[in-house]
Structures are given as C-alpha cells and as structure tokens.
C-alpha cells in the first residue's frame, strides 16, 4: 500500500513532510544509509517545490511512498508551473571554490544519490519520482 | 541541529550535531559571520555527530571557504560520515574543502 501525504507547499510544512518520509521509511525497515540518502534527496525536492512551484499563488504538493521488496520509490507531485528539474546541465564540479556558483547543487545531489530519477508532466501535474534499489 | 563553538587562539571550532538543512543552515551562517567579526580566524568544522547535509549546508561551507581563501586563513572539515563524504564527492566539494 502506498503511503501518501498532501500538504500546502509552504516552509511551515517542510518539517512535517520530511518527518512523514522518515517515519514511513523507518517503519518499512529501510537501512540507515539509504534512509539518509533518501531524506537528503527529498529535502532538495521539497524545498524546490516550496520555493518555485507556485510563484504566482498557493498550492499543495503530494508525497507518495512505495516500499517494495526490491526497491523504495518516492513521488513528489505539484500542480504548479511545468518544470523539469532534470533538463538543466549539471553544475561544473571541477571548478575551484572562488569560481563555484551556488545554484544547481540540490538537483545534482538528487541525481547522484538516487539510483533512478524521473520527471513527468501529466494532466497539469509535475511529478518527480526517485528510486533506490535495495541491495545495490 | 546543535552548534557547539569553541575557540583556541585564532582557531574557531564548530561541532555540529543533527542535520545541517534548509532550516538550520542560516544559523550556522550567522555563527561563522560572527567568528570573523574581530579578526581573521581559522575555521574547523567537526561533523562527527552530523547526520546529513543539504545543498543549503554546502552553500554555507562554500561561502566560508571563499572567505577563508580571501583572508589567507585555513579551514578544515573533520569527522565526516560516509554519506556526507559521498555528497562531498559527487558535488566536487572534496576538491574545494580540506577534509581531515
């Protein structure tokens, strides 16, 4: 059974969202290292939705968690501006400190920490789905 | 997150515990700014009890490293756990930071 939570896309609901993910993944017996990676990626995705999805108003976002024997999948859905976070080129990670820009790090972390990341825009909804394969 | 600050000569150590995330990063940023108020200092970050770091935490470390580079002082990060080490690697921060 997928577990889901739908809350307004505001910082007031940030900790509740992260807490929901942590509680369910712990309950599902996901190992500590995978949990940390998923929480790190989830934070980046949630903060992006809260910051950018509803620039001209307010709206909700939904988190859905599916834990399978072979993988754990989380989906983040909003009804804001169509935006594919995977379309931008990755930041150049070889630059020295003084040349580094501060943007683009969050989505890079999501891509690198997760085994699979997919975006789709369907029926006016953005959905970003992240997957961690078990025993990988 | 909890920040424990200790001073030894012109080296300021921040021992962090919990999560350096969107909510807590501004707090660390303020502490670092305050450390530089009187004189150029060396910074040490003790991450032994830190569970995770988000991109907002990385940005705080990057701006601290830039500040240190500009002043000619030193900055070291120690006690990094495996996941945070992986995050430093995939974001290229291993090439920017001095990780002890």
């Amino acid at each position: 059974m997928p577990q889901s939570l739908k809350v307004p896309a505001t910082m007031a609901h940030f900790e509740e969202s992260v807490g929901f993910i942590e509680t369910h993944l712990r309950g599902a017996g996901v190992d500590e290292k995978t949990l940390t990676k998923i929480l790190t990626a989830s934070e980046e995705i949630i903060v992006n939705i809260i910051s950018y999805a509803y620039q001209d108003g307010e709206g909700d976002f939904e988190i859905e968690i599916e834990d399978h024997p072979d993988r754990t999948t989380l989906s983040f859905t909003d009804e804001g501006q169509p935006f594919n976070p995977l379309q931008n080129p990755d930041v150049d990670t070889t630059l020295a400190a003084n040349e580094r820009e501060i943007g683009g790090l969050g989505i890079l972390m999501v891509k690198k920490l997760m085994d699979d990341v997919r975006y789709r825009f369907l029926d006016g909804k953005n959905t970003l789905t992240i997957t961690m394969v078990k025993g990988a | 997150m909890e920040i424990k600050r200790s001073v030894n000569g012109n080296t300021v150590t921040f021992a962090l515990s919990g999560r350096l995330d969107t909510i807590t990063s501004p707090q660390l940023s303020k502490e670092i700014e305050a450390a530089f108020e009187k004189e150029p200092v060396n910074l040490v970050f003790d991450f032994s009890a830190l569970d995770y770091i988000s991109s907002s935490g990385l940005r705080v470390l990057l701006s601290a490293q830039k500040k240190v580079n500009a002043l000619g002082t030193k900055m070291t990060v120690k006690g990094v756990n495996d996941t945070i080490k992986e995050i430093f690697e995939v974001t290229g921060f291993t090439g920017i930071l001095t990780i002890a």
Side-chain angles (χ1 to χ4, degrees):
Chain A
M1 269 289 284
Q3 301 283 343
S4 68
L5 174 78
K6 192 171 185 176
V7 288
T10 61
M11 277 316 279
H13 294 274
F14 170 78
E15 279 168 294
E16 178 189 356
S17 321
V18 176
F20 166 78
I21 296 169
E22 181 169 5
T23 303
H24 282 285
L25 295 183
R26 275 194 199 283
V30 170
D31 70 86
E32 205 62 28
K33 204 172 169 186
T34 304
L35 178 70
T36 304
K37 286 186 185 183
I38 293 176
L39 288 176
T40 304
S42 299
E43 156 159 3
E44 303 299 337
I45 296 166
I46 293 167
V47 170
N48 275 346
I49 291 173
I50 290 172
S51 308
Y52 305 114
Y54 301 102
Q55 302 255 18
D56 307 320
E58 292 171 7
D60 296 334
F61 74 102
E62 185 169 13
I63 303 168
E64 196 172 282
I65 304 174
E66 284 182 66
D67 190 60
H68 299 278
D70 62 334
R71 67 187 193 280
T72 305
T73 295
L74 282 80
S75 295
F76 301 83
T77 301
D78 67 72
E79 295 176 56
Q81 301 272 355
F83 175 66
N84 178 0
L86 307 176
Q87 74 194 356
N88 293 330
D90 287 345
V91 296
D92 186 345
T93 56
T94 62
L95 296 174
N98 293 347
E99 286 142 17
R100 286 292 289 264
E101 303 284 341
I102 56 170
L105 280 174
I107 194 64
L108 179 71
M109 284 163 65
V110 175
K111 284 187 193 169
K112 300 277 190 181
L113 292 177
M114 297 294 100
D115 292 322
D116 189 68
V117 185
R118 285 164 200 233
Y119 168 81
R120 73 161 188 266
F121 185 75
L122 191 68
D123 298 333
K125 294 178 183 178
N126 293 294
T127 301
L128 195 67
T129 303
I130 57 175
T131 300
M132 283 299 275
V133 175
K134 290 185 182 172
Chain B
M1 184 185 67
E2 198 188 341
I3 304 175
K4 278 190 195 142
R5 179 174 167 276
S6 55
V7 183
N8 184 358
N10 65 342
T11 298
V12 181
T13 301
F14 296 105
L16 309 186
S17 57
R19 296 174 181 175
L20 185 54
D21 63 14
T22 303
I23 306 283
T24 58
S25 291
Q27 192 188 336
L28 179 62
S29 184
K30 271 186 208 148
E31 291 267 0
I32 294 169
E33 254 175 60
F36 282 115
E37 250 168 28
K38 280 190 197 156
E39 54 175 348
V41 290
N42 300 310
L43 297 178
V44 175
F45 294 94
D46 183 348
F47 280 6
S48 309
L50 191 68
D51 298 325
Y52 84 55
I53 186 164
S54 75
S55 63
S56 52
L58 292 181
R59 285 192 277 274
V60 172
L61 291 182
L62 178 61
S63 79
Q65 185 67 60
K66 286 182 177 178
K67 179 99 182 167
V68 158
N69 290 354
L71 293 170
T73 55
K74 287 194 173 115
M75 174 171 143
T76 312
V77 184
K78 64 179 189 183
V80 179
N81 75 26
D82 284 350
T83 307
I84 295 177
K85 201 172 282 174
E86 188 177 340
I87 287 168
F88 284 159
E89 277 162 15
V90 300
T91 54
F93 270 58
T94 36
I96 291 174
L97 305 172
T98 304
I99 299 159

